Amino acid sequence: MAQAMTAALDHVLAIDPAAVLLGEDVGLSGGVFRVTDGLQAKHGVERVIDTPVAESGIVGAAFGMAVAGLHPVAEIQFLGFAYPAFDQVVSHVSRIRNRSQHRFTAPLVIRIPYGAGIGAAEHHSESTEALFAHTPGLKVVIPSTPADAAGLLITAVADPDPVVFLEPIRSYRRVRGEVAEPPTSVPFGEAAVRRPGTDLTLISYGAMMPDVLDAADQLAAEGVEAEVIDLRTLVPLDLETVLESVSGTGRVVIVQEGHRTCGFAAELAASIQEHALYSLEAPVARVTGWDTVVPLRRAEHQYVPSVARIMAAAQAAMAGV
Amino acid sequence: MAQAMTAALDHVLAIDPAAVLLGEDVGLSGGVFRVTDGLQAKHGVERVIDTPVAESGIVGAAFGMAVAGLHPVAEIQFLGFAYPAFDQVVSHVSRIRNRSQHRFTAPLVIRIPYGAGIGAAEHHSESTEALFAHTPGLKVVIPSTPADAAGLLITAVADPDPVVFLEPIRSYRRVRGEVAEPPTSVPFGEAAVRRPGTDLTLISYGAMMPDVLDAADQLAAEGVEAEVIDLRTLVPLDLETVLESVSGTGRVVIVQEGHRTCGFAAELAASIQEHALYSLEAPVARVTGWDTVVPLRRAEHQYVPSVARIMAAAQAAMAGV
Amino acid sequence: MLEILQPDGSLAGEAPFSVDETKRLYAAMVSARTYDTKGTALQKQGRLATYASFEGQEAAQVGGVSALRADDWVVATYRDAAAMWMQGYPWANLFLGRTGDERGGSPPEGVNVLPPSITVGAHMIHAVGLAWGENHLGRDRVAMTFFGDGATSEGDFHEAMNFAGVFHTPVVFLCQNNQYAISTPRHRQTASETIAQKADAYGMPGLQVDGNDLFAVGAAAAEAVTRARAGGGPTLIEAVTFRVGPHTTADDPGRYRDESEEVEWRQRDPIDRVRRYLEAAGEWTAEWNAQLEAAASAEIEVAIGQAEALEPLGPGEIFDAMFETKTPQLDRQRGILMGGPDE
Amino acid sequence: MLEILQPDGSLAGEAPFSVDETKRLYAAMVSARTYDTKGTALQKQGRLATYASFEGQEAAQVGGVSALRADDWVVATYRDAAAMWMQGYPWANLFLGRTGDERGGSPPEGVNVLPPSITVGAHMIHAVGLAWGENHLGRDRVAMTFFGDGATSEGDFHEAMNFAGVFHTPVVFLCQNNQYAISTPRHRQTASETIAQKADAYGMPGLQVDGNDLFAVGAAAAEAVTRARAGGGPTLIEAVTFRVGPHTTADDPGRYRDESEEVEWRQRDPIDRVRRYLEAAGEWTAEWNAQLEAAASAEIEVAIGQAEALEPLGPGEIFDAMFETKTPQLDRQRGILMGGPDE
Ligand SMILES: Cc1ncc(C[n+]2csc(CCOP(=O)(O)OP(=O)(O)O)c2C)c(N)n1
Ligand SMILES: Cc1ncc(C[n+]2csc(CCOP(=O)(O)OP(=O)(O)O)c2C)c(N)n1
Ligand SMILES: [Mg+2]
Ligand SMILES: [Mg+2]
C-alpha cells in the first residue's frame, strides 16, 4: 500500500503544479514509512518540504498555503502526534469556508498514519478517527487497499475541502494489490461491498479490513454468508449501501479498532437502528478497541479486535443476542 | 449556578491545602464568568493563579503540579479554547496512571465553560464533550443544577483521577436552586431521575436539561408521561439507570447539544439497542446539534435543539417511527 | 524604542510620510476612531454582540498597514478592525460579524484579508503559510499579521515565528503590546524584557517602536515590508501602545487596573499627536477635522445600515457553507431542521 | 560556548569535580555506554521494539544529573536513559519499557523520574509544574528536563519556558543539541544562531556548553541547580553534542547525512576525553576500565534478565490502570475480552 501511495503522490505532483508536500522528514529521508521516498529528489525542495518538529506549525502553514491557492499535502508522522495540531484542524482548517461563507477555502490534505499492530512505541498506535468525524467541516478518509489508497488520495488532493487522510500503518507493507498507472481516482462517499452475502452484514474500514474478510471466510465455512462493507470514507458516509445490506440481512456487526465510547461504530449503530430498527433480527453489535490506552507491544493483542472476537460477535448476532 | 460553583471552590480551597486554582484571568478579575470571583483576595495569589495566555501551558503545568501532589483546578475560558491543550489532555493527563501503572497519578480538574445560547462570538459556543468521552482515562462531568455543580465539583477535586468538568454557560445565571452550605458532594456515575414517567425515556445532561424538562411538561399536557434522566457524568456512565427506565418505557429520546456524528447520543443509542433491543417499541431517537460549526448569534437558534424539536422526536417515538 | 513623532507633535527623526500622506492617514485614524466609538455605542444598545474597542491603537494599525500594497495579506484579530479596513475589509462586514453573522467573514473578492481571528495565537502561522504560498506561486505579496502581547505566550506564536525564520517567508509580525491581555498585565505575560527581543530566538530582526506614534510604526513597517518583498525574510515589530478601553464591552477594567493608567495613556493619544504635528505645519483646521468626522460618521452609518438590513441566515442556510457540496448527512440534517421527521 | 575538558584530556578551565567524583561519573558513562550498546544489540535480536541510541551524549546526561539531589525530579525523553538511570530509574525498567511493557514506566517509590516522554515537546512543562508544585508544598526540590534540538520547535517548549520565566520556577532546561531531529539538521530546525540564546526571550539565563565535555556540562548544571534551589529561577542549558548512531534502530542516517560527520564527532567522544584526563592524572588503567565494563555488563545483564523474566500483562490486565477504580464500562469491556458475550 505504501508504494501505491508514493505513486499517487508522484502523480499528483506531476499533474498539479499547486500541489506541495510538507512535514517532518518527508523530504531527504522519504518519511518514516517511506511514503514520500524519492519525491523530493524528483520534484525539488520547494515542493517536498522538510519542516521543523512542530505539528501545529505544519498544519497552520499548510492552511495558509491552501488559502493562498496551493494544494498542500501535510504529513503528521503518527496519529498520536496530531494532537498538538488539533486546534488548527478544529478551529481553523475545518471552518474557514463556513466562517467566510465560501469566500476563503482550505483545500488541503492531512495525511496521518494510524493504528496498532506493529508493536510500536507509546502514542504510535492510535485510532481516534472519531475525533475527526465528530468535527464538522472535515472529510475523513480511510483506505484499506492499495488501489483505494492511491485513488482516494488523488481525490483528496483535488477536493475543494480539507481532508483528513488516515493510513493504516499495519497495511503499509502487508496489504498488496494491483494499482493502475497512473492510479484511477476513487470517489468519496461510496462504500465498497468487498464480499456479497445475505445472512449478516459486516462493516468496517481501514486497518481492520483484512481481519474482517478473514472472519467472513471463516463464517462462510460455518455456513454463514456475510456481506462485507468497507466504508472507505467516514465523512461523507455512504449510509445507503449499509442500509440496503441491513435490510437484506437484519444482522450487523461493526468492527472498529478505535476506542469504544463515541467511536465511529457507535455512530453507525445508532444510525442503523434509527433507520432500520424493524428489520433488525439482533442488536447491532460493535467489536471495538477498548476504552483503554492502546497497550504496548507485549499486550497489544488484547486491544485490537481479533478474528476470534469478530467471529464471536457474528455468531451472537446470528443467534439473535 | 455560577455562585454555587464559587462557593464550592471556596470550600475546596478552605478544606484542602493541596488545592490550587489556575487559569487566564481567574485571579484579579475573577474569571470571565466570575466563577472564581473573590477567591484570590481570600486565598492568596499562590493558590489562585493568573497565568499567561497559553492553554497547553496551563494544563501541562497543572499536570506537573498534580503529579507532585497538588490538586490543581485549571480553568480554560471556553471549550473552543481547550483545543490548544488537547495534546496535554489526551497524551499526558489521561495516561500517566496507565503509563506508570499507578506509580504516578494526575488528580487534577479541568473546568471548562461550554455550550451555546448566549449569542457569543465564534469559538465560544462549543459542546464537544464527546471528544473527552472518547479519550480513555478521563472522567467527564456535566452538571445541570447548582447543587450538582457544587457537589460534583467537590467530588472532582477529591477524585484520584483527572476530571474534565464542563460547565453549561447558559445555565450559569439562568439556572437557580438551593445549595447546602458547605455543598454536599455528589458521587460520579449516578444519573439523576429528574422526573418519573412510564411512557417515554428522555435522556440528556448539562445545558439541555431545562429544555428537556420543559418538553416533558408539555408532553405531560398531551398525556405522555416522560421519565427524564440527567446523566450528570458521561464517564463513568450510569447505564443501569438508563436501561431500567427503557425496559419500562420502550421508547427513548436522547437530547444532546453537541454535533451529531459520533456525539454522546450516538454512544447511548448504540448501547441501549445493544442491551435492550427487544424492549424497544421505536428507534432510539437523537435530537442533537448538527454537523455544522455552531452558528453565530443571529442563527444560533437553528443549531441548539429546541423544545419543539424534542417534542417532535418524542411524538415520533410514541408513534413508533 | 523607535520614536519619531513626539506627544507634543514635534519630530525626533525624519517623517516617513509626506504631508499629504500624513493627512490621508490622519483621516483614516479619524475614521477608525469613529467606527470604534459607534461600535461601543451600538453594543450598549444591544445591536452588536460583544465589541472589542481598539481606542488608542489606531496609529499601530493604520501605520502598519500604510506600508502594504493593496494585494498584500492582512491576518488579524478581533481588535484589529482599523487594520483590516485599511486593507479593504468593508466596515459593513466588520459590523456584520459583530452582530453575529457569518457573512461578516466574507469580504469582497480581491480583498486579501482573512476574517478576524477570535482564537488567540493560531492565526500568525496562517500569515506565514499565505506568504509562503504566494511566494511559491511566484507572486511578491507580503503578509502582515497583527496580534497582542498576550498572544505571544501561545505555542502557536513560537511555531509561526520559527517557521518564518527557517523558511524565510515574507511576513511581518506586528505585535500591538497594549499592556494587557484581558486582566493580565504585560509583565505577568512574559519575563522577557521586551517583546521585540523575542525575534532574536528566530534569527529575525525585532524592533520596538512607540505604537502611539504613526510615524514610528509607519517607518518600521515600511522597512519590514520592503525587506520582506525583496526576499529578506520576516520581521517582528513590537508596537508599544495601550488599550484605553475595556477588553470588550463585557469587561470591567476597574477590577484589575487603576484608572490613572488610562488617564496617563490618553495623554499620548495617537490621533492628537498627528493633529498637533499637522496643526504646527498649518495643515490642520477644526473645520477640516469636522468634515472628516462627518464624512466618516456618514460612511459608517451607511455600513451599519447595510449590516442591519441584511436578513439573518434563513432556515437551513447554516448547512450551506460547511463544504462546497453538502454531504448526504448534512442534507438529511437540514431536512430534519426544516421540519421533516427526525430521521 | 563553555569548554573545560579538551578533546585531548587537558583542562581549559577549572575542573568542577574532584578526581574521585570524576571517576564515579566516568564509571557512570561507561555503564551508560554499555547499556546503550546492549540496547541496540537486543533490538537487532528482536528482543526490544525500537531502540534509540544515545551514544555520544553520555556526558550531557551524566553531567546534567550530577548536579541533582536524589529527590530532585528528572523529566526526560526516549533518548535519555542515562540521565534517568543516574537519577535512580532502574535499567530493568528502561529495558522493560523498550520491550513494550507499561510496567517499564513504574520506577520504585522515591525515584522522582517520570517515564520517558515519547511525544516531543510536551514534557518540559511537566517539569515546570513539578517544580512549581514542590515549591508550593514547601520542598526545595528542583526539576531538570531533558530534550533535543528538535523539541525546541514545538509550541510546548515555548509555553514551558515562558511559564518558568513568569513564575520563576526552579527548573533546569537541558537541551541536548545533537544536531539532528531524525533527518532534520539543526540549522533547518531554527534560524536562531544558538539554542541557548532563546533563553533571552523568557528572561532567563541561557548557556551554551560543549555537550561532550563532562566538566562543562557538570559545571553549568551545578550553577543552574544551585540558582534554582536558592529561588533564583530557571536556566536553559544548550549542550552541543552529536547523535553518533541512527535516530532509532528503524532509521538509516545514510539517507540524510554524510558518514564523515559521524567519524568527525567520534573523535570528540565524551568518554574518551575523561579517560585521557584521568589517564594523565595517573588515575586510569586498562584493568580498572575492564573491571568497570565487566561490572556494568553484569549489572545490565541482570536487568535484562529481570525485564525479560516478567510475564506480559495477563488477560484483562490492560484495564487495570486506567483509573484508580475501574468504571462499569471498563468492567464490562474486560468481561467481553475475557470471553463473555460481546454485550
Ligand atoms: C486560544 C484562546 N485562549 C483564550 C482566549 C480568550 N481571550 C480572548 S482575548 C484574550 C487576551 C488576549 O490578549 P492580547 O493577545 O494581548 O490581545 P488584546 O486583547 O490585548 O488585543 C483572551 C485570553 C481566546 N480567545 N483564545
Ligand atoms: C509530537 C511529536 N511529533 C513527532 C514525533 C516523532 N519524532 C520522534 S523523535 C523526533 C525528533 C526529535 O528530535 P530532537 O528533539 O532533536 O531529539 P533527538 O531525537 O535528536 O534526541 C520526532 C520528530 C514525536 N515523537 N512527537
Ligand atoms: Mg494585549
Ligand atoms: Mg536532536
Side-chain angles (χ1 to χ4, degrees), chain A residues 55 77 81, chain D residues 78-79 118 120 149-151 178 180-181 247:
Chain A
E55 291 73 18
Q77 290 194 334
F81 309 145
Chain D
Y78 51 86
R79 203 184 301 291
I118 303 296
V120 170
D149 43 315
N178 65 1
Y180 284 90
H247 171 69

mmCIF file with all atom_site columns, all heavy atoms in Angstrom, chain A residues 55 77 81, chain D residues 78-79 118 120 149-151 178 180-181 247, ligand 2:
data_model
loop_
_atom_site.group_PDB
_atom_site.id
_atom_site.type_symbol
_atom_site.label_atom_id
_atom_site.label_alt_id
_atom_site.label_comp_id
_atom_site.label_asym_id
_atom_site.label_entity_id
_atom_site.label_seq_id
_atom_site.pdbx_PDB_ins_code
_atom_site.Cartn_x
_atom_site.Cartn_y
_atom_site.Cartn_z
_atom_site.occupancy
_atom_site.B_iso_or_equiv
_atom_site.pdbx_formal_charge
_atom_site.auth_seq_id
_atom_site.auth_comp_id
_atom_site.auth_asym_id
_atom_site.auth_atom_id
_atom_site.pdbx_PDB_model_num
ATOM   1   N N   . GLU A 1 55  ? 3.871  20.282 14.799 1.00 0.00 ? 55  GLU A N   1
ATOM   2   C CA  . GLU A 1 55  ? 2.689  19.844 14.059 1.00 0.00 ? 55  GLU A CA  1
ATOM   3   C C   . GLU A 1 55  ? 1.690  20.969 13.859 1.00 0.00 ? 55  GLU A C   1
ATOM   4   O O   . GLU A 1 55  ? 1.049  21.060 12.803 1.00 0.00 ? 55  GLU A O   1
ATOM   5   C CB  . GLU A 1 55  ? 2.020  18.675 14.775 1.00 0.00 ? 55  GLU A CB  1
ATOM   6   C CG  . GLU A 1 55  ? 2.834  17.378 14.744 1.00 0.00 ? 55  GLU A CG  1
ATOM   7   C CD  . GLU A 1 55  ? 4.054  17.371 15.649 1.00 0.00 ? 55  GLU A CD  1
ATOM   8   O OE1 . GLU A 1 55  ? 4.121  18.223 16.576 1.00 0.00 ? 55  GLU A OE1 1
ATOM   9   O OE2 . GLU A 1 55  ? 4.940  16.533 15.463 1.00 0.00 ? 55  GLU A OE2 1
ATOM   10  N N   . GLN A 1 77  ? 3.471  12.540 11.475 1.00 0.00 ? 77  GLN A N   1
ATOM   11  C CA  . GLN A 1 77  ? 4.157  11.241 11.453 1.00 0.00 ? 77  GLN A CA  1
ATOM   12  C C   . GLN A 1 77  ? 3.324  10.077 11.975 1.00 0.00 ? 77  GLN A C   1
ATOM   13  O O   . GLN A 1 77  ? 3.411  8.965  11.464 1.00 0.00 ? 77  GLN A O   1
ATOM   14  C CB  . GLN A 1 77  ? 5.495  11.336 12.182 1.00 0.00 ? 77  GLN A CB  1
ATOM   15  C CG  . GLN A 1 77  ? 6.498  12.185 11.396 1.00 0.00 ? 77  GLN A CG  1
ATOM   16  C CD  . GLN A 1 77  ? 7.911  12.050 11.894 1.00 0.00 ? 77  GLN A CD  1
ATOM   17  O OE1 . GLN A 1 77  ? 8.144  11.727 13.061 1.00 0.00 ? 77  GLN A OE1 1
ATOM   18  N NE2 . GLN A 1 77  ? 8.875  12.327 11.027 1.00 0.00 ? 77  GLN A NE2 1
ATOM   19  N N   . PHE A 1 81  ? 0.658  12.063 17.207 1.00 0.00 ? 81  PHE A N   1
ATOM   20  C CA  . PHE A 1 81  ? 1.342  13.356 17.185 1.00 0.00 ? 81  PHE A CA  1
ATOM   21  C C   . PHE A 1 81  ? 0.519  14.414 16.471 1.00 0.00 ? 81  PHE A C   1
ATOM   22  O O   . PHE A 1 81  ? 0.992  15.519 16.201 1.00 0.00 ? 81  PHE A O   1
ATOM   23  C CB  . PHE A 1 81  ? 2.719  13.229 16.525 1.00 0.00 ? 81  PHE A CB  1
ATOM   24  C CG  . PHE A 1 81  ? 3.558  12.126 17.094 1.00 0.00 ? 81  PHE A CG  1
ATOM   25  C CD1 . PHE A 1 81  ? 4.418  11.389 16.303 1.00 0.00 ? 81  PHE A CD1 1
ATOM   26  C CD2 . PHE A 1 81  ? 3.472  11.812 18.446 1.00 0.00 ? 81  PHE A CD2 1
ATOM   27  C CE1 . PHE A 1 81  ? 5.172  10.349 16.834 1.00 0.00 ? 81  PHE A CE1 1
ATOM   28  C CE2 . PHE A 1 81  ? 4.218  10.773 18.985 1.00 0.00 ? 81  PHE A CE2 1
ATOM   29  C CZ  . PHE A 1 81  ? 5.070  10.036 18.179 1.00 0.00 ? 81  PHE A CZ  1
ATOM   30  N N   . TYR D 2 78  ? 12.772 9.580  25.376 1.00 0.00 ? 78  TYR D N   1
ATOM   31  C CA  . TYR D 2 78  ? 13.171 8.256  24.888 1.00 0.00 ? 78  TYR D CA  1
ATOM   32  C C   . TYR D 2 78  ? 14.679 8.100  24.710 1.00 0.00 ? 78  TYR D C   1
ATOM   33  O O   . TYR D 2 78  ? 15.165 6.989  24.607 1.00 0.00 ? 78  TYR D O   1
ATOM   34  C CB  . TYR D 2 78  ? 12.480 8.006  23.540 1.00 0.00 ? 78  TYR D CB  1
ATOM   35  C CG  . TYR D 2 78  ? 12.696 9.173  22.593 1.00 0.00 ? 78  TYR D CG  1
ATOM   36  C CD1 . TYR D 2 78  ? 13.827 9.242  21.790 1.00 0.00 ? 78  TYR D CD1 1
ATOM   37  C CD2 . TYR D 2 78  ? 11.799 10.233 22.562 1.00 0.00 ? 78  TYR D CD2 1
ATOM   38  C CE1 . TYR D 2 78  ? 14.067 10.339 20.976 1.00 0.00 ? 78  TYR D CE1 1
ATOM   39  C CE2 . TYR D 2 78  ? 12.022 11.328 21.746 1.00 0.00 ? 78  TYR D CE2 1
ATOM   40  C CZ  . TYR D 2 78  ? 13.165 11.378 20.952 1.00 0.00 ? 78  TYR D CZ  1
ATOM   41  O OH  . TYR D 2 78  ? 13.402 12.473 20.183 1.00 0.00 ? 78  TYR D OH  1
ATOM   42  N N   . ARG D 2 79  ? 15.421 9.200  24.593 1.00 0.00 ? 79  ARG D N   1
ATOM   43  C CA  . ARG D 2 79  ? 16.857 9.081  24.358 1.00 0.00 ? 79  ARG D CA  1
ATOM   44  C C   . ARG D 2 79  ? 17.680 9.366  25.606 1.00 0.00 ? 79  ARG D C   1
ATOM   45  O O   . ARG D 2 79  ? 18.907 9.511  25.538 1.00 0.00 ? 79  ARG D O   1
ATOM   46  C CB  . ARG D 2 79  ? 17.294 10.031 23.232 1.00 0.00 ? 79  ARG D CB  1
ATOM   47  C CG  . ARG D 2 79  ? 18.609 9.579  22.550 1.00 0.00 ? 79  ARG D CG  1
ATOM   48  C CD  . ARG D 2 79  ? 19.097 10.562 21.502 1.00 0.00 ? 79  ARG D CD  1
ATOM   49  N NE  . ARG D 2 79  ? 18.165 10.785 20.437 1.00 0.00 ? 79  ARG D NE  1
ATOM   50  C CZ  . ARG D 2 79  ? 17.862 9.868  19.521 1.00 0.00 ? 79  ARG D CZ  1
ATOM   51  N NH1 . ARG D 2 79  ? 18.457 8.699  19.535 1.00 0.00 ? 79  ARG D NH1 1
ATOM   52  N NH2 . ARG D 2 79  ? 16.957 10.125 18.603 1.00 0.00 ? 79  ARG D NH2 1
ATOM   53  N N   . ILE D 2 118 ? 7.582  10.152 25.022 1.00 0.00 ? 118 ILE D N   1
ATOM   54  C CA  . ILE D 2 118 ? 7.716  9.752  23.624 1.00 0.00 ? 118 ILE D CA  1
ATOM   55  C C   . ILE D 2 118 ? 7.270  10.895 22.721 1.00 0.00 ? 118 ILE D C   1
ATOM   56  O O   . ILE D 2 118 ? 7.827  11.107 21.650 1.00 0.00 ? 118 ILE D O   1
ATOM   57  C CB  . ILE D 2 118 ? 6.871  8.489  23.348 1.00 0.00 ? 118 ILE D CB  1
ATOM   58  C CG1 . ILE D 2 118 ? 7.275  7.360  24.288 1.00 0.00 ? 118 ILE D CG1 1
ATOM   59  C CG2 . ILE D 2 118 ? 6.995  8.058  21.902 1.00 0.00 ? 118 ILE D CG2 1
ATOM   60  C CD1 . ILE D 2 118 ? 8.692  6.871  24.122 1.00 0.00 ? 118 ILE D CD1 1
ATOM   61  N N   . VAL D 2 120 ? 7.275  14.499 21.462 1.00 0.00 ? 120 VAL D N   1
ATOM   62  C CA  . VAL D 2 120 ? 8.335  15.507 21.512 1.00 0.00 ? 120 VAL D CA  1
ATOM   63  C C   . VAL D 2 120 ? 7.749  16.848 21.949 1.00 0.00 ? 120 VAL D C   1
ATOM   64  O O   . VAL D 2 120 ? 6.813  17.345 21.325 1.00 0.00 ? 120 VAL D O   1
ATOM   65  C CB  . VAL D 2 120 ? 8.998  15.646 20.128 1.00 0.00 ? 120 VAL D CB  1
ATOM   66  C CG1 . VAL D 2 120 ? 9.923  16.860 20.096 1.00 0.00 ? 120 VAL D CG1 1
ATOM   67  C CG2 . VAL D 2 120 ? 9.781  14.385 19.800 1.00 0.00 ? 120 VAL D CG2 1
ATOM   68  N N   . ASP D 2 149 ? 17.190 19.222 20.232 1.00 0.00 ? 149 ASP D N   1
ATOM   69  C CA  . ASP D 2 149 ? 17.124 20.429 19.418 1.00 0.00 ? 149 ASP D CA  1
ATOM   70  C C   . ASP D 2 149 ? 15.786 20.498 18.677 1.00 0.00 ? 149 ASP D C   1
ATOM   71  O O   . ASP D 2 149 ? 15.183 21.566 18.557 1.00 0.00 ? 149 ASP D O   1
ATOM   72  C CB  . ASP D 2 149 ? 18.288 20.480 18.426 1.00 0.00 ? 149 ASP D CB  1
ATOM   73  C CG  . ASP D 2 149 ? 18.553 19.145 17.754 1.00 0.00 ? 149 ASP D CG  1
ATOM   74  O OD1 . ASP D 2 149 ? 18.563 18.108 18.452 1.00 0.00 ? 149 ASP D OD1 1
ATOM   75  O OD2 . ASP D 2 149 ? 18.753 19.109 16.523 1.00 0.00 ? 149 ASP D OD2 1
ATOM   76  N N   . GLY D 2 150 ? 15.305 19.357 18.215 1.00 0.00 ? 150 GLY D N   1
ATOM   77  C CA  . GLY D 2 150 ? 14.028 19.354 17.514 1.00 0.00 ? 150 GLY D CA  1
ATOM   78  C C   . GLY D 2 150 ? 12.877 19.807 18.405 1.00 0.00 ? 150 GLY D C   1
ATOM   79  O O   . GLY D 2 150 ? 11.983 20.522 17.965 1.00 0.00 ? 150 GLY D O   1
ATOM   80  N N   . ALA D 2 151 ? 12.937 19.406 19.656 1.00 0.00 ? 151 ALA D N   1
ATOM   81  C CA  . ALA D 2 151 ? 11.863 19.730 20.593 1.00 0.00 ? 151 ALA D CA  1
ATOM   82  C C   . ALA D 2 151 ? 11.698 21.229 20.786 1.00 0.00 ? 151 ALA D C   1
ATOM   83  O O   . ALA D 2 151 ? 10.614 21.704 21.145 1.00 0.00 ? 151 ALA D O   1
ATOM   84  C CB  . ALA D 2 151 ? 12.116 19.055 21.937 1.00 0.00 ? 151 ALA D CB  1
ATOM   85  N N   . ASN D 2 178 ? 21.835 17.652 19.583 1.00 0.00 ? 178 ASN D N   1
ATOM   86  C CA  . ASN D 2 178 ? 22.662 16.594 18.980 1.00 0.00 ? 178 ASN D CA  1
ATOM   87  C C   . ASN D 2 178 ? 22.661 16.699 17.448 1.00 0.00 ? 178 ASN D C   1
ATOM   88  O O   . ASN D 2 178 ? 22.914 15.738 16.750 1.00 0.00 ? 178 ASN D O   1
ATOM   89  C CB  . ASN D 2 178 ? 22.211 15.206 19.456 1.00 0.00 ? 178 ASN D CB  1
ATOM   90  C CG  . ASN D 2 178 ? 20.806 14.870 18.991 1.00 0.00 ? 178 ASN D CG  1
ATOM   91  O OD1 . ASN D 2 178 ? 20.166 15.660 18.297 1.00 0.00 ? 178 ASN D OD1 1
ATOM   92  N ND2 . ASN D 2 178 ? 20.327 13.708 19.379 1.00 0.00 ? 178 ASN D ND2 1
ATOM   93  N N   . TYR D 2 180 ? 20.651 16.785 15.067 1.00 0.00 ? 180 TYR D N   1
ATOM   94  C CA  . TYR D 2 180 ? 19.615 16.234 14.197 1.00 0.00 ? 180 TYR D CA  1
ATOM   95  C C   . TYR D 2 180 ? 18.330 15.966 14.958 1.00 0.00 ? 180 TYR D C   1
ATOM   96  O O   . TYR D 2 180 ? 18.360 15.597 16.134 1.00 0.00 ? 180 TYR D O   1
ATOM   97  C CB  . TYR D 2 180 ? 20.075 14.917 13.539 1.00 0.00 ? 180 TYR D CB  1
ATOM   98  C CG  . TYR D 2 180 ? 21.037 15.167 12.409 1.00 0.00 ? 180 TYR D CG  1
ATOM   99  C CD1 . TYR D 2 180 ? 22.413 15.218 12.652 1.00 0.00 ? 180 TYR D CD1 1
ATOM   100 C CD2 . TYR D 2 180 ? 20.574 15.406 11.122 1.00 0.00 ? 180 TYR D CD2 1
ATOM   101 C CE1 . TYR D 2 180 ? 23.299 15.506 11.623 1.00 0.00 ? 180 TYR D CE1 1
ATOM   102 C CE2 . TYR D 2 180 ? 21.458 15.689 10.087 1.00 0.00 ? 180 TYR D CE2 1
ATOM   103 C CZ  . TYR D 2 180 ? 22.814 15.734 10.344 1.00 0.00 ? 180 TYR D CZ  1
ATOM   104 O OH  . TYR D 2 180 ? 23.677 16.022 9.322  1.00 0.00 ? 180 TYR D OH  1
ATOM   105 N N   . ALA D 2 181 ? 17.230 16.139 14.259 1.00 0.00 ? 181 ALA D N   1
ATOM   106 C CA  . ALA D 2 181 ? 15.926 15.660 14.712 1.00 0.00 ? 181 ALA D CA  1
ATOM   107 C C   . ALA D 2 181 ? 15.516 14.689 13.606 1.00 0.00 ? 181 ALA D C   1
ATOM   108 O O   . ALA D 2 181 ? 15.126 15.108 12.520 1.00 0.00 ? 181 ALA D O   1
ATOM   109 C CB  . ALA D 2 181 ? 14.941 16.803 14.835 1.00 0.00 ? 181 ALA D CB  1
ATOM   110 N N   . HIS D 2 247 ? 18.784 7.610  14.431 1.00 0.00 ? 247 HIS D N   1
ATOM   111 C CA  . HIS D 2 247 ? 17.728 8.157  15.297 1.00 0.00 ? 247 HIS D CA  1
ATOM   112 C C   . HIS D 2 247 ? 17.166 7.064  16.199 1.00 0.00 ? 247 HIS D C   1
ATOM   113 O O   . HIS D 2 247 ? 17.084 7.214  17.409 1.00 0.00 ? 247 HIS D O   1
ATOM   114 C CB  . HIS D 2 247 ? 16.615 8.780  14.450 1.00 0.00 ? 247 HIS D CB  1
ATOM   115 C CG  . HIS D 2 247 ? 15.422 9.160  15.247 1.00 0.00 ? 247 HIS D CG  1
ATOM   116 N ND1 . HIS D 2 247 ? 15.442 10.193 16.162 1.00 0.00 ? 247 HIS D ND1 1
ATOM   117 C CD2 . HIS D 2 247 ? 14.165 8.637  15.312 1.00 0.00 ? 247 HIS D CD2 1
ATOM   118 C CE1 . HIS D 2 247 ? 14.247 10.286 16.745 1.00 0.00 ? 247 HIS D CE1 1
ATOM   119 N NE2 . HIS D 2 247 ? 13.465 9.351  16.251 1.00 0.00 ? 247 HIS D NE2 1
HETATM 120 C C1  . LIG E 3 .   ? 4.817  15.497 18.956 1.00 0.00 ? 2   LIG E C1  1
HETATM 121 C C2  . LIG E 3 .   ? 5.731  14.584 18.230 1.00 0.00 ? 2   LIG E C2  1
HETATM 122 N N1  . LIG E 3 .   ? 5.984  14.801 16.937 1.00 0.00 ? 2   LIG E N1  1
HETATM 123 C C3  . LIG E 3 .   ? 6.780  13.979 16.237 1.00 0.00 ? 2   LIG E C3  1
HETATM 124 C C4  . LIG E 3 .   ? 7.364  12.905 16.834 1.00 0.00 ? 2   LIG E C4  1
HETATM 125 C C5  . LIG E 3 .   ? 8.251  11.943 16.031 1.00 0.00 ? 2   LIG E C5  1
HETATM 126 N N2  . LIG E 3 .   ? 9.631  12.135 16.432 1.00 0.00 ? 2   LIG E N2  1
HETATM 127 C C6  . LIG E 3 .   ? 10.201 11.331 17.338 1.00 0.00 ? 2   LIG E C6  1
HETATM 128 S S1  . LIG E 3 .   ? 11.724 11.836 17.724 1.00 0.00 ? 2   LIG E S1  1
HETATM 129 C C7  . LIG E 3 .   ? 11.660 13.126 16.667 1.00 0.00 ? 2   LIG E C7  1
HETATM 130 C C8  . LIG E 3 .   ? 12.827 14.062 16.517 1.00 0.00 ? 2   LIG E C8  1
HETATM 131 C C9  . LIG E 3 .   ? 13.132 14.771 17.781 1.00 0.00 ? 2   LIG E C9  1
HETATM 132 O O1  . LIG E 3 .   ? 14.348 15.424 17.647 1.00 0.00 ? 2   LIG E O1  1
HETATM 133 P P1  . LIG E 3 .   ? 15.116 16.043 18.893 1.00 0.00 ? 2   LIG E P1  1
HETATM 134 O O2  . LIG E 3 .   ? 14.153 16.801 19.725 1.00 0.00 ? 2   LIG E O2  1
HETATM 135 O O3  . LIG E 3 .   ? 16.273 16.778 18.352 1.00 0.00 ? 2   LIG E O3  1
HETATM 136 O O4  . LIG E 3 .   ? 15.559 14.811 19.761 1.00 0.00 ? 2   LIG E O4  1
HETATM 137 P P2  . LIG E 3 .   ? 16.575 13.648 19.377 1.00 0.00 ? 2   LIG E P2  1
HETATM 138 O O5  . LIG E 3 .   ? 15.737 12.550 18.780 1.00 0.00 ? 2   LIG E O5  1
HETATM 139 O O6  . LIG E 3 .   ? 17.570 14.208 18.430 1.00 0.00 ? 2   LIG E O6  1
HETATM 140 O O7  . LIG E 3 .   ? 17.157 13.232 20.664 1.00 0.00 ? 2   LIG E O7  1
HETATM 141 C C10 . LIG E 3 .   ? 10.450 13.154 16.015 1.00 0.00 ? 2   LIG E C10 1
HETATM 142 C C11 . LIG E 3 .   ? 10.068 14.150 15.008 1.00 0.00 ? 2   LIG E C11 1
HETATM 143 C C12 . LIG E 3 .   ? 7.087  12.704 18.192 1.00 0.00 ? 2   LIG E C12 1
HETATM 144 N N3  . LIG E 3 .   ? 7.611  11.691 18.876 1.00 0.00 ? 2   LIG E N3  1
HETATM 145 N N4  . LIG E 3 .   ? 6.274  13.559 18.861 1.00 0.00 ? 2   LIG E N4  1
#
